[in-house]
Amino acid sequence: MPQKPHAPPPVRLLKRKLAVSNSKWRVYFDDIAQEGHDDVMDYLVLASQTPTADGITGVSILPVRGEQVVLLHLWRHGIDALSWEIPRGFVDAGEDPRSAALRELREETGLECPDEALIPLGHIAPESGTIAGTIALFAALQCQPAAVLSDDDEIGLLEAREFPLAELILMARKSQILDVSTLVALYRYLDWRVQHGDQTAPKSL
């Protein structure tokens, strides 16, 4: 989790203006100041509508089936391109991150994972300059099919495909995987296996 400063933060919020909001996000324009620097007006900040008490706004889940990992192939409007990613989504109001992870896994892949096989992989700040929140990462082991997805479950979703771990490592090295949460979850999962004495784990990223 992000470390909070013991002393007052060097950057002060002078004024906050709500620019726009939707069902998931609030967009603020902040006026901020730091001693010895010019004030910055209209610094853009994205904040989730439903953050948890500890600032977790979303989850990303690495679905593992033996030595295979499930990735989603999606068209991402923001970058105007296709992207290979693990399932992810927001934490709903009143929902804990583990429950959100199991829900998103089921909704986006049709897979289920026993609660005891959901491995926490820590947190990331996906864009600490603008997004006010962190993402909880998980590996979902022992995944089994549980539901049939409808065609409109996720906008831009083209397919879900299983990849051998060794192939994913090569894809990451070649920048064929660009999504930050996917890369970090893959790295931390491989490290988790090594830390738990798995001598068969593929070499890390």
Side-chain angles (χ1 to χ4, degrees):
M1 297 298 296
Q3 293 183 348
K4 302 294 184 181
H6 296 293
V11 175
R12 295 181 293 112
L13 175 64
L14 303 175
K15 183 180 180 182
R16 166 162 282 190
K17 297 166 286 185
L18 178 65
V20 68
S21 66
N22 61 19
S23 62
K24 299 296 185 183
W25 293 102
R26 296 189 302 272
V27 181
Y28 294 107
F29 286 148
D30 286 354
D31 296 345
I32 57 177
Q34 181 178 2
E35 186 176 351
H37 296 263
D38 292 336
D39 294 352
V40 176
M41 303 293 106
D42 294 335
Y43 188 100
L44 188 145
V45 175
L46 288 171
S48 169
Q49 292 281 13
T50 57
T52 63
D54 52 3
I56 298 172
T57 60
V59 292
S60 290
I61 314 96
L62 186 79
V64 181
R65 289 169 55 80
E67 287 298 302
Q68 306 271 335
V69 169
V70 177
L71 292 188
L72 305 179
H73 206 197
L74 301 125
W75 180 265
R76 286 302 190 189
H77 175 71
I79 60 173
D80 197 31
L82 288 166
S83 178
W84 285 108
E85 303 175 11
I86 58 177
R88 68 186 192 203
F90 287 92
V91 178
D92 290 341
E95 189 177 36
D96 66 89
R98 290 185 68 88
S99 298
L102 294 172
R103 174 181 55 77
E104 290 290 346
L105 175 69
R106 183 173 59 255
E107 290 177 355
E108 297 196 1
T109 68
L111 297 173
E112 285 192 343
C113 161
D115 182 73
E116 64 274 13
L118 187 68
I119 309 300
L121 298 175
H123 306 84
I124 60 169
E127 191 0 83
S128 59
T130 56
I131 297 178
T134 60
I135 293 174
L137 302 179
F138 297 90
L141 312 184
Q142 304 173 26
C143 288
Q144 295 296 329
V148 177
L149 296 177
S150 63
D151 292 337
D152 59 353
D153 277 343
E154 175 77 12
I155 189 168
L157 175 60
L158 303 180
E159 63 173 323
R161 187 190 302 178
E162 292 187 4
F163 291 89
L165 276 167
E167 184 175 348
L168 289 188
I169 292 171
L170 291 177
M171 290 172 66
R173 289 175 180 168
K174 295 177 181 178
S175 295
Q176 293 171 347
I177 300 174
L178 298 177
D179 177 62
V180 172
S181 61
T182 302
L183 291 168
V184 176
L186 178 59
Y187 166 79
R188 290 186 183 172
Y189 169 64
L190 293 173
D191 183 63
W192 176 86
R193 286 180 56 170
V194 171
Q195 296 301 318
H196 285 76
D198 186 349
Q199 301 298 319
T200 67
K203 292 183 178 179
S204 182
L205 306 183

